[in-house]
Amino acid sequence: MANYPTKRLRRLRYNPLLRDMVRETELSKNDFIYPLFVVPGEKVKNPVKSMPGVFQLSVDELVKECKEVESLGIPAVILFGIPEHKDEQGSEAYDPNGIIQKAVRAIKSEVKNLLVITDVCLCEYTSHGHCGLLNGEEILNDETVELLVIESLSHVEAGADIVAPSDMMDGRIAAIRKAFDEKGFNKTPIISYAAKFSSGYYGPFRDAAESTPAFGDRRSHQMDIANSLEALREVEEDIEEGADIVMVKPAGPYLDIIRQVKDKFGMPTAAYQVSGEYAMIKAASQNGWIDEERVMLESLIAIKRAGADMFLTYFAKDAAKWIDKNKK
Ligand SMILES: [Zn+2]
């Protein structure tokens, strides 16, 4: 270090007030989107074993939860539905009286200051657990997109503020955008799961959403974990098709992708801190191996520092409470 001892980077680190002043990245509640799982029935609050603190909720309980989320100052929830019946076509996904449609109507009528985002896919609704219609073991792209369009429309007709297609079929953003514009929903934004990797970190989510495929896996539509240039092509495609916000999923193991997406496109960028990322932090802290609060905050700041403007995280409530306690 040629400039030492005049240059001493530690000068800014001795005083906590000064450390606060020079901090580059701050968490804000405005960044948080809280994922919720809705199930049929009443007064249902099933704990998800692999995700401590996360529950499957019936609509009545979901509304209560959303009121708490609103009161904590978290601006948005994203909903995943577990239907009464599953079939090969995933019919309940686009039934106007399906579980998500009912949930959206209930939240929008009782909770005023909360954005309701709906996940759009078929895998929670199909008996085979795949994200689309099948021909043998192949997932049909264009036929699936037609159903995703109907599903998206049914969500916004129920009152959803934003839809988030997670299916990774080609061309679905353009198709949904076109249908929205034709049906008078030209002001409804789309968050696209633009670079969604075929990740082992989704394991606990499949307990929560009951969406494990009956055979095979999702590698024919989700991305190969090893590819970053392809991730940029996926994101570019969705932006051209009309996505308003692009998402990278998972978040923590893909910080390089988040940074590249942000730098290349400058779009509002979301990241999904997925179930496995959450479960690992929870499990290690329950064993006393790490400090949960500290690692939670570190994981979220890392995602923001990488370039995410907002993140979907099961820690949203805990992090909002931490902000209330600690921010001046
Ligand atoms: Zn899916």
Side-chain angles (χ1 to χ4, degrees):
M1 258 273 237
N3 297 326
Y4 177 80
T6 38
K7 188 173 262 179
R8 290 174 181 267
L9 292 170
R10 290 184 60 202
R11 273 187 208 117
L12 299 180
R13 295 181 199 143
Y14 294 107
N15 185 320
L17 294 172
L18 191 49
R19 282 203 300 272
D20 287 350
M21 199 176 276
V22 300
R23 183 163 302 124
E24 298 172 34
T25 309
E26 301 250 23
L27 287 182
S28 156
K29 291 182 192 178
N30 292 335
D31 305 332
F32 299 157
I33 299 169
Y34 190 47
L36 289 167
F37 300 94
V38 54
V39 291
E42 258 181 82
K43 296 193 167 52
V44 181
K45 195 171 178 184
N46 294 331
V48 178
K49 253 193 238 118
S50 48
M51 300 171 72
V54 174
F55 299 85
Q56 295 177 325
L57 302 168
S58 52
V59 172
D60 52 327
E61 292 289 331
L62 180 78
V63 169
K64 276 194 229 162
E65 182 75 6
C66 285
K67 286 180 180 164
E68 192 196 337
V69 170
E70 179 194 37
S71 73
L72 285 167
I74 295 166
V77 293
I78 181 163
L79 303 182
F80 298 88
I82 295 103
E84 194 107 42
H85 304 289
K86 302 193 182 211
D87 59 31
E88 296 217 330
Q89 290 77 36
S91 310
E92 202 177 317
Y94 37 91
D95 180 340
N97 287 312
I99 185 76
I100 282 291
Q101 293 79 356
K102 280 188 207 158
V104 171
R105 281 194 292 268
I107 299 169
K108 290 314 286 184
S109 73
E110 295 200 49
V111 191
K112 294 297 160 212
N113 214 9
L114 188 68
L115 290 169
V116 176
I117 306 168
T118 55
D119 179 86
V120 173
C121 197
L122 295 180
C123 49
E124 291 125 54
Y125 305 92
T126 50
S127 44
H128 43 72
H130 281 286
C131 301
L133 292 176
L134 297 179
N135 178 19
E137 297 205 348
E138 184 193 334
I139 301 170
L140 299 169
N141 193 90
D142 300 10
E143 294 81 350
T144 297
V145 168
E146 284 177 32
L147 294 182
L148 296 169
V149 167
I150 304 170
E151 181 181 4
S152 302
L153 277 171
S154 77
H155 290 180
V156 294
E157 280 160 1
D161 297 294
I162 305 172
V163 294
S166 62
D167 49 281
M168 290 295 281
M169 295 298 119
D170 289 322
R172 87 274 205 225
I173 301 298
I176 294 168
R177 184 72 271 155
K178 181 165 176 277
F180 278 9
D181 292 354
E182 283 170 4
K183 302 271 183 182
F185 296 106
N186 57 324
K187 289 186 291 207
T188 303
I190 301 173
I191 300 179
S192 112
Y193 287 67
K196 180 177 179 181
F197 289 88
S198 184
S199 167
Y201 286 87
Y202 303 150
F205 175 92
R206 292 181 187 162
D207 293 343
E210 301 177 10
S211 61
T212 307
F215 60 87
D217 55 35
R218 307 216 202 283
R219 284 176 224 236
S220 80
H221 55 295
Q222 295 178 356
M223 281 193 49
D224 189 313
I225 58 167
N227 295 355
S228 60
L229 295 173
E230 186 188 353
L232 297 177
R233 293 202 298 275
E234 279 283 3
V235 171
E236 184 169 37
E237 181 73 17
D238 283 3
I239 294 169
E240 283 170 5
E241 289 184 27
D244 300 282
I245 297 171
V246 289
M247 192 200 299
V248 175
K249 180 183 179 187
Y254 296 83
L255 297 179
D256 58 321
I257 309 288
I258 298 172
R259 171 48 62 196
Q260 289 180 70
V261 165
K262 190 68 193 178
D263 285 350
K264 185 163 166 103
F265 302 107
M267 287 284 287
T269 303
Y272 198 150
Q273 183 182 49
V274 302
S275 57
E277 300 176 71
Y278 175 81
M280 290 194 308
I281 294 173
K282 280 281 178 186
S285 74
Q286 285 181 352
N287 275 299
W289 295 339
I290 57 169
D291 175 337
E292 177 174 334
E293 185 177 83
R294 194 170 165 185
V295 175
M296 165 188 81
L297 294 168
E298 191 170 334
S299 70
L300 296 175
I301 285 170
I303 295 165
K304 185 161 185 182
R305 195 190 61 231
D309 301 288
M310 64 197 86
F311 20 91
L312 295 76
T313 173
Y314 302 98
F315 284 120
K317 283 166 59 183
D318 292 344
K321 287 175 194 164
W322 181 88
I323 288 170
D324 284 340
K325 228 172 30 186
N326 291 280
K327 286 277 159 81
K328 292 146 215 146

